[in-house]
Amino acid sequence: MKKSALISVLVVLLALVLGLWYYGSGADVKITDMYASPFGAGDSGKLNITLQNNGLKPVDVWLEVENAFVDENGTSYSTPRLIISDNSTNPWDEGTVSLQKPIALIPGNNSVSIWLGYRLPGEYPVKVRVVENSRLLDEDTYLVNVPFPELHLKLEDEIEHVNTSDVYRVYGYLLNYGLSSADKVNTNLTVTNEKTGEIVLTSSESYLVGGQDKSALRTWPGYPYAIVEIAHGKPSGNSYMPVKNVIVGKNGDNFLLNVTSRWQNQVISAELHIPDKKEGR
């Protein structure tokens, strides 16, 4: 064999050996588990990741994450603050949250958490890639399910006898049993005189109700949602300000109050009879 040919063969063999050594000596890290506890839209959540370092010595890796944060327009955006330390309390805790440095993994299992945040309910595939020196070690996807609000309505009333009138103070509540908040819940009130079939009042307001919370249906704090006065003689003449929903009837009148709330594809309703049909005289 000629000398030049022998040199070429040796160069190729050396390159193969170096390549095998370089790639064979790289980190062996796998994603073995990912889990996110339930949380609502508008809140911050956490994706807990278990990384298994199969090597015999510590290794530094980077995480590349897609769809960790999605805004109300469905746009995913990146943030330098994803990785959570044991002392982190919120996504913007600059001293304890960072993606600007690698993650040190000891041999065996390692727990890492990243912040999650979504403005709207829905399903979001979060893709996680583990990288060492631009070399992909492992990748996996976790489907985050952000639940929708669970809305309900409740109406109740209190009666007070003022001179010759029965005054009913009506209180309403928008209840949310779900984790996600609901904003701009369009709520309509319709009051019908059941004796004549005439609609005597309509009104509309929008409300915000947080996750696992309730919002009172009212215009002013501390005041009822509506007032119904049934006069058995001369009406009181009270304006009941600042309550906007005021109905004044006479002896023998019966009123049906119907409230309907709409948020996206959810429609809920509740009704109240005044006087109550079971109410005795």
Side-chain angles (χ1 to χ4, degrees):
M1 181 180 293
K2 294 183 179 180
K3 185 177 180 179
S4 59
L6 181 60
I7 292 174
S8 299
V9 171
L10 290 175
V11 169
V12 172
L13 290 174
L14 180 61
L16 288 173
V17 171
L18 289 175
L20 290 173
W21 175 83
Y22 175 79
Y23 289 104
S25 62
D28 182 8
V29 176
K30 300 297 181 184
I31 301 172
T32 59
D33 186 50
M34 291 195 290
Y35 174 75
S37 297
F39 66 99
D43 296 329
S44 58
K46 295 180 181 180
L47 177 61
N48 303 302
I49 307 169
T50 301
L51 299 174
Q52 187 178 63
N53 177 8
N54 296 313
L56 299 178
K57 59 183 181 180
V59 62
D60 290 343
V61 299
W62 297 78
L63 287 187
E64 297 176 354
V65 183
E66 298 177 10
N67 267 356
F69 289 83
V70 179
D71 65 17
E72 60 274 12
N73 299 315
T75 303
S76 175
Y77 62 94
S78 61
T79 171
R81 300 188 177 99
L82 290 176
I83 308 303
I84 306 173
S85 79
D86 292 338
N87 298 321
S88 298
T89 57
N90 64 75
W92 316 118
D93 186 356
E94 190 169 356
T96 57
V97 184
S98 177
L99 190 60
Q100 299 303 311
K101 57 186 179 181
I103 306 165
L105 303 180
I106 62 174
N109 287 333
N110 298 260
S111 296
V112 178
S113 297
I114 62 174
W115 287 112
L116 302 173
Y118 306 97
R119 296 299 301 173
L120 295 176
E123 292 185 338
Y124 299 91
V126 180
K127 186 174 183 180
V128 179
R129 304 172 77 249
V130 185
V131 177
E132 181 203 28
N133 296 326
S134 301
R135 174 173 173 253
L136 178 63
L137 302 178
D138 198 12
E139 62 182 344
D140 202 355
T141 299
Y142 184 87
L143 188 63
V144 177
N145 182 18
V146 181
F148 282 78
E150 298 177 26
L151 302 180
H152 299 266
L153 280 168
K154 181 181 180 181
L155 295 176
E156 56 189 22
D157 66 288
E158 297 176 351
I159 184 172
E160 179 184 8
H161 302 289
V162 180
N163 296 326
T164 59
S165 294
D166 294 332
V167 178
Y168 296 82
R169 290 176 172 83
V170 178
Y171 297 89
Y173 302 94
L174 183 63
L175 309 173
N176 183 2
Y177 297 151
L179 292 175
S180 295
S181 61
D183 194 9
K184 298 179 181 178
V185 182
N186 188 32
T187 301
N188 298 295
L189 168 65
T190 301
V191 182
T192 304
N193 186 324
E194 295 185 283
K195 186 176 181 180
T196 64
E198 177 188 3
I199 295 177
V200 295
L201 184 144
T202 59
S203 69
S204 180
E205 297 284 347
S206 291
Y207 297 92
L208 165 66
V209 57
Q212 296 184 327
D213 201 357
K214 68 178 182 179
S215 291
L217 305 180
R218 60 193 179 193
T219 304
W220 292 89
Y223 286 86
Y225 180 45
I227 290 179
V228 179
E229 177 185 337
I230 296 182
H232 301 290
K234 183 179 179 180
S236 67
N238 194 337
S239 68
Y240 298 107
M241 291 294 290
V243 179
K244 296 194 304 182
N245 302 322
V246 176
I247 303 97
V248 178
K250 60 183 183 297
N251 189 34
D253 284 340
N254 295 279
F255 296 98
L256 172 64
L257 283 70
N258 180 274
V259 179
T260 301
S261 293
R262 291 179 173 83
W263 185 84
Q264 294 194 7
N265 62 344
Q266 293 191 45
V267 180
I268 54 175
S269 62
E271 62 181 33
L272 184 68
H273 294 272
I274 293 181
D276 190 302
K277 292 185 176 181
K278 298 178 182 180
E279 191 174 312
R281 288 289 178 186

